[in-house]
């Protein structure tokens, strides 16, 4: 059984992918592809790196939830766009949850702490990067200066620390996820920005 | 031994990749890279998702056939372009074959029906998506409204249904492939189109 | 232990990725992502194709070295840019080393000679392709006509030939790497170019 929280994360990410598809005037196939890979692309990358079959290919919900998100975005995108501030909050929740769950899975398979953090961040941000590459855009993660990978890194690091202290399972996941979520919300609220290198002209 | 039909599919896909490389004025290395990944990229994605070593790395023909396609496109691209209507028919044949073969492989490795359909479609359309991403373009699959993934989905679904009815092997593969092929040809002939979401302005 | 030579190759590739990130005005997260995937992306692709867990997830140095390169490029990119001719030489050294090491690993896992050459070239050039795709650019490998994949192919082929003659280990790696390196340096020095197909108009 896929836990409910996990499905919520997947649904929100799928919705954000499907919405980007609608905005870029993709057809229904393209919308579904973006919905799917935004939602589970990060987890697929994590699982390929760990060396296990991607969870998305073991659980029917991972295919069905993106389909539901596609249908919703296809028919009711104006309503969803109006609800975007709420979507942003859910997206932050998904970010927190995915970094915690991804780190836990990496630790479970015996990866070293630093690599577990790396895979936790990959799980949380990988889907968005794949979404942007598939839409023919430079991934926003790399240049938009929003703190997005950084909260994921915080959550993953806390997860690894709790694991080292033998705090595991639901408590560890929830604490790490909530911390990453809170950091992300604060970063959006106060417009914290990732630094740029100094002394560079316009982008080439 | 790679069956002859499989090689025909690979050759046609490789040729379409190589031609795109020529049109975009890639050098000979770029033409070969596009030929290779267009032809076997979908199968590589399928095999990585299943968790087996990609067939392309077990069989010499999978490397040699794209090289042949590269040479042909490099020296005789005007002639090949003139034969494009024929190439379209072969491409539809490749699409049918790849979705059937990909689904069969996924079922063979014990994946659930819905995931087998998903992997069949990946096998059939994945190479074209990789080709477009590597050429620095938005994948045509996502926006051009042609029915391309949909015939593959039909073929894969039929394959799964036949498998459930214990119809397997050559008969199942050929029936599924022919159905997907026929649907694809009809879709091209009658200009069937995948729907767009309503009420969206110009692409952003 | 990661051999020193390997780390030098990773450092140089990471630096080239980080510099591209600085030039394209990515934020610090984007610079680090490019540094990492430029350095180890080719090896990751090779390992996924072989079917083993990517070496980058087993060795802490593979994560730390790109971080160091990120810091250097972030703060001292003007100095590094001025040292670019030297970087070109190091990059050629990395190219030689990576194709030799990649081929050796593929042979070690029992791949056929032609596939080992293919994976050696993937190891050497894959990171740069991923770097360009992630920066939202057409991979320079595919169109800039520089001989880059070709020296890697030479090095990998020599490695396979030496392996067949039972020359292995350090001697084989170094000979293959030096040959690829020398070919690359000569290609840069004398502006050798990969051919374009004839009779094609402007890029579409």
């Amino acid at each position: 059984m896929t836990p409910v929280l996990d499905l919520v994360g997947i649904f929100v990410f799928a919705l954000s992918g499907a919405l980007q598809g609608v905005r870029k005037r993709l057809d229904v196939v393209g919308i579904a592809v973006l919905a799917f890979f935004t939602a589970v692309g990060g987890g697929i990358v994590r699982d390929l790196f760990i060396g296990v079959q991607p969870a998305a290919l073991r659980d029917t919900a991972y295919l069905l939830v993106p389909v539901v998100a596609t249908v919703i975005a296809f028919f009711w995108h104006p309503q969803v766009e109006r609800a975007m501030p709420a979507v942003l909050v859910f997206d932050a929740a998904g970010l927190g949850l995915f970094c915690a769950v991804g780190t836990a899975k990496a630790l479970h398979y015996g990866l070293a702490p630093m690599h577990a953090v790396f895979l936790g961040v990959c799980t949380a941000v990988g889907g968005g990067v794949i979404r942007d590459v598939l839409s023919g855009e430079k991934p926003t993660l790399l240049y938009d200066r929003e703190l997005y990978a950084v909260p994921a890194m915080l959550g993953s690091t806390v997860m690894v620390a709790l694991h080292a202290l033998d705090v595991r399972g639901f408590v560890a996941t929830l604490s790490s996820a909530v911390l990453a979520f809170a950091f992300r919300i604060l970063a959006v609220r106060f417009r914290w920005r990732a630094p740029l290198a100094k002394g560079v002209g316009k982008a080439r």
Side-chain angles (χ1 to χ4, degrees), chain A:
Chain A
M1 268 299 293
T2 320
V4 174
L5 274 181
D6 200 14
L7 287 189
V8 171
I10 286 175
F11 177 72
V12 175
F13 276 31
L15 204 56
S16 105
L19 276 182
Q20 174 150 336
V22 170
R23 280 192 215 117
K24 296 186 74 85
R25 289 188 68 69
L26 303 186
D27 61 35
V28 70
V29 169
I31 296 170
V33 169
L34 281 203
F36 176 76
F37 281 103
T38 307
V40 306
I44 288 178
V45 169
R46 174 203 60 211
D47 292 344
L48 292 180
F49 282 7
I50 292 179
V52 296
Q53 192 173 70
L57 294 176
R58 301 207 146 277
D59 191 326
T60 310
Y62 284 91
L63 281 179
L64 287 183
V65 169
V67 169
V68 172
T70 300
V71 171
I72 292 178
F74 190 82
F75 289 109
W76 298 286
H77 55 90
Q79 288 83 340
V80 181
E81 293 277 13
R82 246 173 280 137
M84 272 315 276
V87 171
L88 244 170
V89 173
F90 281 116
D91 181 84
L95 181 78
L97 206 69
F98 277 26
C99 73
V101 169
T103 308
K105 187 161 188 180
L107 290 169
H108 175 77
Y109 280 95
L111 275 90
M114 198 186 291
H115 293 110
V117 170
F118 174 75
L119 286 185
V121 176
C122 280
T123 310
V125 309
V129 170
I130 295 175
R131 175 197 64 206
D132 293 343
V133 168
L134 285 180
S135 349
E137 289 195 347
K138 194 156 67 171
T140 53
L141 182 84
L142 303 190
Y143 69 89
D144 76 352
R145 305 190 57 194
E146 291 225 7
L147 295 191
Y148 196 79
V150 177
M153 201 180 290
L154 172 73
S156 296
T157 308
V158 170
M159 191 76 187
V160 162
L162 291 174
H163 187 267
L165 300 168
D166 272 324
V167 185
R168 303 189 183 179
F170 191 69
V171 175
T173 307
L174 205 69
S175 324
S176 314
V178 166
L179 267 173
F181 168 78
F183 187 176
R184 169 67 184 152
I185 293 287
L186 290 173
V188 171
R189 173 69 186 78
F190 294 106
R191 294 169 192 274
W192 293 337
R193 288 287 175 266
L196 293 175
K198 298 224 162 66
V200 188
K202 280 180 64 97
R204 283 184 251 169

